[in-house]
Amino acid sequence: MRILLTNDDGIDATGIQVLWQELLKIGEVVVVAPDAERSAASQAITVHSPIRVDKYCASDSRLCGWRIGGTPADCVKIAIETLVSTTPDFVVSGINHGPNLGTDVLYSGTVSAAIEGSLHGIPSVAVSLDSWKSSDFRPAAEFTAKLLQDIFQRSLPSNTLLNVNVPALSTEQIDGVAITKLGVRQYANVFEPRLDPRGRTYYWMGGEVVENVNDADSDIVAINKSKISVTPIHFDLTNYGIMETLKSWKL
């Protein structure tokens, strides 16, 4: 199988390097990833400046790909439309350092790269590790490889991607896999004012997760129960339930 691999943490990030080596065991892998971290880029694409493209090889020179001066969505678009001669069987984005749960997917560069793949009609998967501290990406990489083999045999519906979050635990400690829906993820955002060297005010955004009550079948609950969460996502944002109501307004 042919796999296009990208991320939003940058091509040198540990997560993509570990996943790269694992996916080479099951197929041909082409890596097209940002030259630096592009977290929270969402579905942004570069339209007002050039996109730089460079050949890249890892420190041991055995893993070579493309390093892109753009967003995760840019990486997938330019790979499919320019850099890759044959349409890949999969687009995989990750492994992200940190979770992408619930409504976080609306901001996530990791998930948006997978959405871009799905927009091109390619089965796509976004993978994240539920930790900002752990650097053990091996269980997540092994699960991703197995998941791709399952999809290869069974296929996914069109316009659908899978958002995967893996607990930062050993394979033995992970308590199975849950098929989930998106939960609610909210933050108490804090905009800290600071002064630049010229005395002008700027703001640095931080924030803490606000604990919400989530349904038992949500991705957030699954992760809290030490389960791998697999959430099918599509990008038709239409609220069909109120279409008839709006028609009754006779706008």
Side-chain angles (χ1 to χ4, degrees):
M1 64 180 76
R2 298 180 300 274
I3 302 163
L4 171 61
L5 178 60
T6 191
N7 72 348
D8 75 357
D9 288 329
I11 198 166
D12 289 309
T14 304
I16 195 172
Q17 296 282 332
V18 173
L19 184 54
W20 193 346
Q21 295 185 57
E22 188 66 30
L23 294 182
L24 281 171
K25 299 175 183 179
I26 64 169
E28 173 189 342
V29 182
V30 176
V31 174
V32 182
D35 58 2
E37 183 179 348
R38 297 292 193 278
S39 296
S42 190
Q43 206 67 37
I45 55 175
T46 302
V47 295
H48 297 298
S49 60
I51 299 173
R52 305 294 181 185
V53 178
D54 298 302
K55 288 290 288 183
Y56 164 94
C57 289
S59 57
D60 61 7
S61 299
R62 292 180 298 172
L63 302 177
C64 294
W66 297 95
R67 182 170 51 194
I68 307 298
T71 68
D74 287 334
C75 292
V76 176
K77 287 177 70 67
I78 201 167
I80 294 171
E81 298 174 15
T82 302
L83 299 177
V84 179
S85 58
T86 304
T87 301
D89 297 306
F90 296 101
V91 171
V92 180
S93 182
I95 302 167
N96 190 65
H97 208 164
N100 279 298
L101 296 163
T103 41
D104 279 351
V105 301
L106 299 173
Y107 303 100
S108 168
T110 301
V111 176
S112 292
I115 290 174
E116 192 64 43
S118 191
L119 284 169
H120 283 80
I122 302 170
S124 299
V125 177
V127 189
S128 303
L129 183 69
D130 182 39
S131 173
W132 300 105
K133 297 179 180 179
S134 173
S135 58
D136 184 8
F137 293 91
R138 182 61 56 193
E142 292 174 349
F143 177 78
T144 303
K146 178 182 181 301
L147 178 63
L148 292 190
Q149 292 172 299
D150 288 340
I151 298 171
F152 194 70
Q153 294 176 356
R154 298 176 172 86
S155 76
L156 280 177
S158 60
N159 300 329
T160 300
L161 61 132
L162 299 181
N163 184 44
V164 178
N165 283 275
V166 180
L169 301 169
S170 69
T171 301
E172 294 72 26
Q173 292 173 311
I174 293 173
D175 190 22
V177 180
I179 307 304
T180 58
K181 66 182 184 183
L182 294 176
V184 176
R185 189 85 152 173
Q186 294 179 318
Y187 295 85
N189 287 324
V190 176
F191 290 87
E192 180 183 336
R194 300 182 183 181
L195 294 178
D196 69 16
R198 296 186 178 181
R200 295 174 300 188
T201 301
Y202 67 96
Y203 294 87
W204 195 268
M205 187 175 74
E208 298 292 332
V209 174
V210 176
E211 294 298 330
N212 291 285
V213 176
N214 278 279
D215 293 340
D217 58 350
S218 71
D219 52 358
I220 295 169
V221 170
I223 280 291
N224 289 339
K225 290 184 175 181
S226 301
K227 297 179 182 292
I228 295 173
S229 166
V230 179
T231 306
I233 296 175
H234 65 87
F235 39 81
D236 181 352
L237 301 181
T238 308
N239 186 343
Y240 292 99
I242 70 163
M243 287 179 66
E244 292 303 318
T245 300
L246 289 177
K247 289 177 183 178
S248 72
W249 292 6
K250 301 189 183 302
L251 297 172

